[in-house]
Amino acid sequence: MNQDLAQLAAQYKISLDTTNLVRSTPIVLLVGVSGAGKDTIKHHLLQTGKYHHIVSHTTRQPRENVGVMEQDGVEYHFINSDKAQSMLKNGEFVEANVYSGNLYGTSAAEIELAKQEGKIALTDLEIQGVAEYKAISQDVVALFILPPDFEEWQRRLQERYGVGGADEADMQKRMSTAIAELKEALEKPYYHFIINDNLDEAVEAADEIAHNGNNFDRVDRSFRAWAEKLLSDLSSHLEVSRHA
């Protein structure tokens, strides 16, 4: 990625019109450690017809997932660096960040579509992006999806790798990332933690919080303790594996 694009993303400031748009539109953001099931929960919420999927923009190339190539306008809006620079200069993003050398961002146009449809805008996002949304509007709902426990999380990740099993270096990287995400989420007062043990119950909880987020503080305290336990187990396991 060229330095001009990186610099533009780092210096990006949201416009007043987009700020007002975000503040006047119901928005739900899904976060979670890799393998927690946030994509599956998002898919089920979208099937209810009450949500508009915010399709993010990215400068990375489409990938093949389980033998199926990603489609433009479905998984992402795939754009080149010139288009990304133009959108940044024109203030067309709500938030935009660089990960692994590629730009990812959500556009004001996607939020506008949700508002026009009378639906809740919904997407999955990195923690940094959530912080940017919350800085714009405290009414944005942030859901952090958790696996039921460390052992089940490991099993789900192994399942992703298939017959050959997981690469140890990649597993350590995923654990390190999960630890960083959990630490940051636990430091923020605005995350609603959902345990994805039973999928139907997790989807129902996400839907209820999306519509009545302010009524879930008491329940969330017990789930926050669950997140703290997962963080402790992850940290211990990673420390042991590094010294094995």
Side-chain angles (χ1 to χ4, degrees):
M1 185 181 70
N2 64 59
Q3 291 302 308
D4 289 342
L5 184 56
Q7 186 174 14
L8 281 170
Q11 297 174 347
Y12 186 73
K13 301 294 183 184
I14 186 173
S15 70
L16 179 59
D17 286 345
T18 300
T19 296
N20 292 332
L21 176 64
V22 170
R23 290 176 177 172
S24 62
T25 307
I27 298 172
V28 173
L29 306 175
L30 296 175
V31 187
V33 298
S34 176
K38 63 180 180 292
D39 288 340
T40 304
I41 289 173
K42 179 180 72 174
H43 176 71
H44 280 72
L45 289 173
L46 290 170
Q47 284 186 323
T48 68
K50 296 181 287 186
Y51 297 84
H52 170 83
H53 183 211
I54 304 173
V55 181
S56 297
H57 289 68
T58 184
T59 57
R60 78 159 171 79
Q61 293 298 307
R63 297 172 182 162
E64 188 176 301
N65 292 324
V66 198
V68 179
M69 187 62 70
E70 291 175 327
Q71 297 180 47
D72 183 47
V74 179
E75 285 81 12
Y76 286 98
H77 295 296
F78 293 101
I79 57 175
N80 59 30
S81 292
D82 289 342
K83 176 63 175 178
Q85 285 192 53
S86 174
M87 291 181 71
L88 287 165
K89 290 175 181 177
N90 293 332
E92 295 179 44
F93 287 110
V94 176
E95 55 80 34
N97 292 288
V98 173
Y99 301 103
S100 302
N102 289 299
L103 182 131
Y104 293 82
T106 52
S107 69
E110 287 286 344
I111 307 299
E112 181 63 41
L113 280 172
K115 187 174 184 178
Q116 290 175 1
E117 294 169 359
K119 296 182 179 181
I120 296 173
L122 173 72
T123 193
D124 55 294
L125 209 58
E126 301 292 336
I127 275 186
Q128 184 180 351
V130 175
E132 293 181 19
Y133 268 96
K134 293 297 287 190
I136 299 165
S137 172
Q138 286 302 308
D139 291 332
V140 171
V141 176
L143 307 179
F144 197 105
I145 312 302
L146 297 166
D149 51 47
F150 174 75
E151 289 73 20
E152 175 61 18
W153 181 66
Q154 291 282 286
R155 188 194 67 76
R156 290 179 184 178
L157 284 181
Q158 292 285 353
E159 208 171 57
R160 281 189 172 189
Y161 284 91
V163 179
D167 175 79
E168 183 61 30
D170 188 50
M171 288 294 289
Q172 288 195 9
K173 181 180 178 181
R174 286 178 183 269
M175 281 191 282
S176 295
T177 300
I179 288 168
E181 290 170 339
L182 281 165
K183 282 182 177 178
E184 185 165 348
L186 285 164
E187 290 173 356
K188 301 293 190 292
Y190 50 70
Y191 276 103
H192 297 276
F193 290 92
I194 294 176
I195 300 162
N196 186 17
D197 188 4
N198 178 289
L199 178 59
D200 290 339
E201 292 177 1
V203 171
E204 182 179 353
D207 189 43
E208 289 183 11
I209 295 171
H211 289 85
N212 306 283
N214 293 331
N215 298 328
F216 283 81
D217 289 342
R218 182 180 59 80
V219 176
D220 282 347
R221 280 197 290 272
S222 64
F223 288 169
R224 185 170 289 264
W226 205 306
E228 290 170 348
K229 174 66 165 60
L230 178 61
L231 174 59
S232 176
D233 289 345
L234 272 167
S235 300
S236 297
H237 185 87
L238 184 60
E239 187 67 22
V240 170
S241 65
R242 281 175 173 170
H243 292 87

